[in-house]
Structures are given as structure tokens and as C-alpha cells.
Amino acid sequence: MDLAIIVSMTISLFLILDPFASLPMFISVTDGLDEKTIRSYANYSVLVAAILLLVFLFFGEDLMGLFGVTMDTFRVAGGIIFLMMAIELVFGMKLTKQGSSKGAAWAIIASPVLTGPGVITAAIIFSSENGLIPAVIASVVALLVTWVILRMSSRIMHVVGEQAMGICTKIIGLFIAAMGVQSIFTGTLNWFQANIDTVTNAVMMVL
């Protein structure tokens, strides 16, 4: 296993999980609760997020095959999702439907706040490109760091402040946008290379 690849995947997954952007919501749903309950919310949130992430790591490609989706088209779709996430983070826009407030509050943090479409997309792509074991290791490390941040949410917000947290979130959004553009370029290029004969024949027929 290449350590550099694992580190790169870990950082990418951590950026997409973006626990810093989740802190205000996590603090709002745990407002007024005692420290023990807050820790249990963090535990449940990350546990459910981990289960969802691992399911798509192990069975994501099978699901793609079930729907007849190729990895290259999935890269393009994933890149679009990354760009939408980046727009939300950088400009503060809401392009996705807000989750229902019904059910346990920690479940809302687990999905879609933590394990949303972006994380699921990244998990499937990383597993396909770099192998299952490195992707699992990267996912576990990223989730552990996220878990620590959620458990220390009150202290972090008190020390850093909401304004600095907002700036950090926007910077993370720029990196996610770059990942989205790269994913779209890679998927499009690979698709054209794999279907060059079909594309050439179609162009010749039109001409």
C-alpha cells in the first residue's frame, strides 16, 4: 500500500466530510444538553456515518453495475456533486433540500450532513481507483478525526469563533471545487478515450 495515496485519500475524505461546516448544526441540536449526551450524539453520528460509508465502499461498484453506470460517467456525476457542495460552502447557498427534523437529531448529523452524496461518491471512486483496503483505512482515519472534532465541538467554537470557522469552511469549499473539476475532466477524458471509435464514427456520419 502506498502511504502517500492513503494520506491523500484521507485528506480528501476529511475535506468532503467537512466536520467544521457541521459544527454549528451539531451545536444547535445539542444546545442545552449535558456533556455526556453531547458525546453520545457525536458517537452515534459518526457510527452511522461510518456504516453508510463502509456499505458504499464494499458494495458501491456492485450498485453501479446494477444500474449500468460506468466509473467514468460516475466520475463526471460525482464532480458535479462536488461543485454543488463547493457552491453551498463558498457562497452559503442551499442547492439541496433540507433534511427533515423528524427522528433523532444525531441521525440528521450522520446523514446527510456528514455522509452525503459527496462522501458516497468519493468512497466509490477511491475504492475503484486505489483498492478497497487503502480506501477503508483512509475512511476510518477521516471519520476518527471527525469524531474527535464533534466531541470537542463546544470548545472548538469557543476558541476559534464562528467567523473564523466560516472562513475555514469557504477555503475547504475551494478545494472541493477543484476536486470536482478534476473529477469531471478525468471522467470525460477517459470516456472519450474508451469510446473514441464510436465518437469518430458518429462524427463521420454527421459530416
Side-chain angles (χ1 to χ4, degrees):
M1 290 185 290
D2 191 330
L3 181 59
I5 292 177
I6 294 177
V7 171
S8 176
M9 287 193 296
T10 302
I11 294 173
S12 297
L13 281 170
F14 178 75
L15 290 176
I16 298 170
L17 281 166
D18 194 8
F20 296 113
S22 308
L23 282 183
M25 179 179 289
F26 185 78
I27 290 173
S28 69
V29 301
T30 57
D31 185 40
L33 300 177
D34 58 85
E35 193 66 27
K36 182 179 179 181
T37 304
I38 292 175
R39 288 198 298 268
S40 69
Y41 270 41
N43 295 342
Y44 285 129
S45 298
V46 175
L47 176 61
V48 173
I51 292 172
L52 292 172
L53 180 54
L54 291 174
V55 165
F56 280 95
L57 275 173
F58 281 93
F59 304 109
E61 288 193 67
D62 294 332
L63 291 173
M64 288 171 55
L66 182 64
F67 290 99
V69 178
T70 66
M71 180 54 64
D72 293 324
T73 56
F74 194 82
R75 283 193 184 95
V76 175
I80 294 172
I81 290 175
F82 290 158
L83 287 177
M84 292 177 65
M85 288 178 60
I87 290 172
E88 288 189 343
L89 293 175
V90 175
F91 296 105
M93 300 171 62
K94 289 297 178 186
L95 304 179
T96 54
K97 185 177 179 181
Q98 295 296 307
S100 172
S101 59
K102 297 179 181 180
W106 54 262
I108 301 171
I109 301 297
S111 181
V113 175
L114 288 179
T115 309
V119 173
I120 292 170
T121 300
I124 296 174
I125 292 175
F126 290 160
S127 176
S128 173
E129 292 181 345
N130 304 303
L132 182 59
I133 300 302
V136 169
I137 294 173
S139 301
V140 169
V141 174
L143 285 166
L144 282 175
V145 177
T146 299
W147 173 69
V148 171
I149 290 173
L150 289 183
R151 283 175 65 94
M152 300 177 62
S153 56
S154 300
R155 300 176 193 175
I156 292 174
M157 287 296 290
H158 178 72
V159 173
V160 177
E162 190 171 342
Q163 186 174 6
M165 196 67 66
I167 295 172
C168 180
T169 296
K170 293 181 186 302
I171 294 173
I172 289 174
L174 289 174
F175 282 103
I176 294 176
M179 292 169 57
V181 172
Q182 180 64 52
S183 183
I184 292 173
F185 283 167
T186 301
T188 303
L189 180 61
N190 289 347
W191 186 89
F192 273 107
Q193 289 177 341
N195 298 274
I196 186 65
D197 293 335
T198 303
V199 174
T200 302
N201 292 334
V203 172
M204 292 299 293
M205 290 178 64
V206 171
L207 296 178

